């Protein structure tokens, strides 16, 4: 009877753990099919998701084989009753040792290849772009130059103190859906990092340097953006919003910015650090010194 009670308690514990695991997983944004990453809303996000899922499949397969071999060795070579002899304490198996060396090196090489391939694709800017946005980071907010429309959005630090409506004061970056955008990234003061988690893409912004990348937003919606590099006292509040909208709504916003006096571009080179000459040339000419 005691044994039955113990088994029932063990079963209840297992069921409880399984229930907690299911509850925890149900709170994840994604699904098993995408490795529990957020839903894909950009072309770069799809590439990152594919690399993530493929890596996990490879890692789980290696883990299953490794655990299987460990269990086999533990059972096959366990100490048997009545056998008091010591096993051989020193033994060489050159083919096995070579196998244990070659396979990990091969795995690292494969991971490196696919990571390097996707990284090169993510930072490639040779594809024809539909529009250019010059993003300027500053302690602790953002400026956005819409180069093709000759308008800008400027942000100021918004302290999130719990007061209603503060989030609405954040700078907003508008992007047209299904249009390829080139982001030109610069910093006015210290190292920042441009990150929109939903796009699954971020890139550092270095004083005096210019970085670029391209992506295509593929889903209409509002997404959170933030600085991903510790940049000072209010780093956690260096936030902005991204609104991916149809082309007609994007055009209306460009007209609205011009109507409220935000025509022209904010000069990027008005920074604490002098621009590296070669990197200054990477900034679109109107935004380099401003067109106000």
């Amino acid at each position: 009877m005691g044994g039955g009670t113990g088994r029932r308690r063990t079963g209840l514990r297992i069921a409880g753990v399984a229930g907690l695991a299911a509850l925890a997983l149900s709170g994840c944004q994604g699904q098993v099919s995408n490795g529990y990453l957020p839903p894909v809303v950009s072309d770069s996000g799809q590439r990152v998701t594919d690399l993530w899922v493929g890596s996990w499949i490879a890692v789980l397969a290696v883990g299953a084989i490794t655990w299987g071999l460990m269990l086999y060795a533990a059972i096959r070579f366990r100490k048997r009753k009545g056998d008091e002899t010591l096993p051989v304490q020193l033994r060489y198996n050159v083919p096995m040792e070579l196998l244990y060396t070659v396979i990990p090196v091969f795995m690292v090489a494969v991971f490196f290849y696919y990571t390097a391939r996707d990284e090169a694709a993510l930072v490639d800017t040779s594809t024809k772009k539909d529009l250019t946005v010059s993003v300027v980071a500053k302690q602790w907010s953002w400026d956005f130059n819409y180069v093709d429309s000759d308008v800008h959005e400027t942000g100021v630090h918004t302290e999130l103190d719990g007061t209603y409506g503060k989030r609405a004061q954040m700078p907003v970056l508008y992007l047209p859906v299904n249009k390829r955008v080139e982001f030109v990234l610069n910093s006015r003061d210290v190292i920042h990092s441009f990150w929109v988690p939903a796009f699954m893409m971020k890139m550092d912004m270095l004083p005096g340097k210019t970085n670029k990348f391209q992506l295509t937003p593929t889903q209409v919606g509002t997404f959170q953006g933030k600085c991903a590099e510790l940049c000072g006292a209010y780093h956690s509040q260096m936030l902005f919003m991204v609104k991916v909208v149809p082309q007609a709504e994007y055009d209306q916003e460009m007209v609205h910015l011009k109507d409220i006096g935000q025509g022209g571009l904010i000069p990027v080179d008005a920074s604490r650090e002098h621009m590296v000459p070669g990197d200054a040339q990477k900034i679109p000419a109107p935004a380099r010194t401003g067109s106000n």
Side-chain angles (χ1 to χ4, degrees):
M1 185 172 180
T5 302
R7 284 193 295 270
R8 283 195 296 271
R9 287 178 179 173
T10 301
L12 288 173
R13 290 194 190 100
I14 295 173
V17 171
L20 288 174
L23 181 63
L25 291 175
S26 67
C28 296
Q29 291 186 3
Q31 300 174 344
V32 175
S33 60
N34 70 347
Y36 292 102
L37 290 178
V40 174
V41 297
S42 70
D43 58 341
S44 61
Q46 186 60 58
R47 180 175 289 275
V48 171
T49 297
D50 291 343
L51 178 62
W52 173 260
V53 172
S55 299
W56 268 109
I57 291 173
V59 168
L60 290 173
V62 171
I65 294 172
T66 303
W67 277 99
L69 291 174
M70 290 171 62
L71 289 173
Y72 168 78
I75 295 171
R76 174 69 176 79
F77 302 106
R78 71 189 186 278
K79 184 177 182 301
R80 286 167 167 55
K81 186 177 180 180
D83 185 1
E84 301 300 331
T85 60
L86 288 174
V88 178
Q89 299 299 295
L90 187 63
R91 177 179 293 171
Y92 293 101
N93 189 319
V94 175
M96 188 65 70
E97 292 173 6
L98 288 174
L99 185 67
Y100 287 161
T101 303
V102 171
I103 289 181
V105 171
F106 175 75
M107 290 172 55
V108 170
V110 171
F111 275 118
F112 178 83
Y113 167 77
Y114 283 107
T115 301
R117 181 201 66 178
D118 288 346
E119 182 180 355
L122 290 170
V123 299
D124 177 41
T125 56
S126 62
T127 305
K128 182 180 178 181
K129 61 195 174 186
D130 296 306
L131 67 148
T132 301
V133 178
S134 168
V135 181
V136 184
K138 57 191 180 182
Q139 291 175 313
W140 287 273
S141 193
W142 306 84
D143 294 333
F144 303 120
N145 282 321
Y146 298 94
V147 177
D148 306 275
S149 302
D150 196 34
V151 295
H152 68 271
E153 170 72 22
T154 183
V156 295
H157 171 230
T158 304
E159 186 172 356
L160 301 180
D161 55 6
T163 306
Y164 178 77
K166 281 295 184 71
R167 188 169 291 273
Q169 299 176 15
M170 292 180 189
V172 180
L173 172 62
Y174 277 81
L175 300 174
V177 68
N178 294 324
K179 297 293 184 180
R180 189 159 188 83
V181 185
E182 179 168 290
F183 295 94
V184 183
L185 309 179
N186 295 96
S187 169
R188 291 206 188 285
D189 35 53
V190 299
I191 299 177
H192 298 282
S193 188
F194 180 79
W195 185 30
V196 182
F199 290 165
M200 299 187 205
M201 179 66 186
K202 72 181 179 70
M203 183 172 284
D204 282 353
M205 310 171 77
L206 308 175
K209 300 285 289 181
T210 300
N211 285 332
K212 295 182 179 182
F213 73 91
Q214 296 180 357
L215 62 75
T216 303
T218 57
Q219 181 176 312
V220 171
T222 300
F223 310 101
Q224 181 72 63
K226 60 183 70 179
C227 176
E229 186 75 32
L230 183 59
C231 58
Y234 297 99
H235 158 71
S236 63
Q237 298 178 4
M238 190 171 167
L239 307 172
F240 64 97
M241 302 302 295
V242 179
K243 289 192 175 183
V244 181
V245 297
Q247 182 67 50
E249 187 174 342
Y250 174 81
D251 293 337
Q252 290 175 3
E253 178 61 22
M254 298 300 101
V255 173
H256 170 70
L257 289 175
K258 186 167 293 186
D259 290 344
I260 63 175
Q262 293 180 201
L265 304 179
I266 299 174
V268 173
D269 62 358
S271 304
R272 182 191 303 175
E273 301 288 338
H274 293 296
M275 289 295 303
V276 176
D279 284 72
Q281 300 304 314
K282 299 177 184 178
I283 304 171
R288 196 174 304 151
T289 57
S291 59
N292 287 315

